[in-house]
């Protein structure tokens, strides 16, 4: 679907001390391919240390619309993810949402 209808965006946040991923990265990054018109996350990934964790977060975020804000995504994370990175994931999601809304604002200003 790479025909100008999707965008790739990233959100970043600091990782807490004592996390396995902290030895590789200082920040947690969530990347997402997003439908530009509806803001729906088509696919997402993050820099958690385990493949299972990355896949789990990707499945949780898939289908959520950033157009409606990140509150639904945060609720999903806080309900179903029980790891040390919860606060970092939430912060990265907020950053991701901010980037999406900046892109949409720029798009509107061009019209």
């Amino acid at each position: 679907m790479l025909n100008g209808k999707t965008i790739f965006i990233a959100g970043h946040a600091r990782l807490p001390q004592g996390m396995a991923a902290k030895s590789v990265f200082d920040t947690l990054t969530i990347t997402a391919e997003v439908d530009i018109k509806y803001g729906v996350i088509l696919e997402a990934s993050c820099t958690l240390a385990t493949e299972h964790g990355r896949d789990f977060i990707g499945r949780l975020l898939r289908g959520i619309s950033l157009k409606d804000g990140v509150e639904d995504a945060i609720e999903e994370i806080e309900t179903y993810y029980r790891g040390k990175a919860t606060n970092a994931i939430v912060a990265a999601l907020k950053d991701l949402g901010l980037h999406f809304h900046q892109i949409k604002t720029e798009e509107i200003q061009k019209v």
Side-chain angles (χ1 to χ4, degrees), residues 19-25 28 46-54:
M19 295 236 11
K22 181 81 172 163
S23 63
V24 180
F25 306 106
L28 177 110
C46 67
T47 55
L48 287 175
T50 66
E51 183 178 346
H52 190 199
R54 294 187 298 270

Side-chain angles (χ1 to χ4, degrees), residues 14 17 25 43-44 61 64 67 76 84 87 95 110:
R14 285 221 164 282
Q17 292 295 331
F25 306 106
E43 191 157 342
L61 298 178
I64 288 176
K67 209 172 192 178
E76 292 283 312
K84 286 184 179 181
N87 290 339
D95 191 46
K110 288 180 183 176

Side-chain angles (χ1 to χ4, degrees), residues 7-10 21 23-24 34 44 46-47 50 58 60 63-64 73 75 80 88 95 98 103 107 109:
I7 54 172
F8 183 86
I9 54 177
S23 63
V24 180
V34 180
C46 67
T47 55
T50 66
L60 274 180
I64 288 176
E75 189 175 316
Y80 300 109
D95 191 46
L98 178 68
I103 290 165
E107 188 179 88
Q109 290 173 352

Side-chain angles (χ1 to χ4, degrees), residues 40-100:
V40 175
I41 296 174
L42 304 172
E43 191 157 342
S45 185
C46 67
T47 55
L48 287 175
T50 66
E51 183 178 346
H52 190 199
R54 294 187 298 270
D55 289 346
F56 185 78
I57 297 301
R59 287 192 313 272
L60 274 180
L61 298 178
R62 193 174 301 124
I64 288 176
S65 176
L66 295 175
K67 209 172 192 178
D68 301 329
V70 293
E71 292 76 22
D72 288 346
I74 290 169
E75 189 175 316
E76 292 283 312
I77 296 299
E78 290 175 342
T79 301
Y80 300 109
Y81 177 84
R82 302 294 176 155
K84 286 184 179 181
T86 301
N87 290 339
I89 292 169
V90 167
L93 275 171
K94 288 179 180 178
D95 191 46
L96 188 83
L98 178 68
H99 289 299
F100 175 76

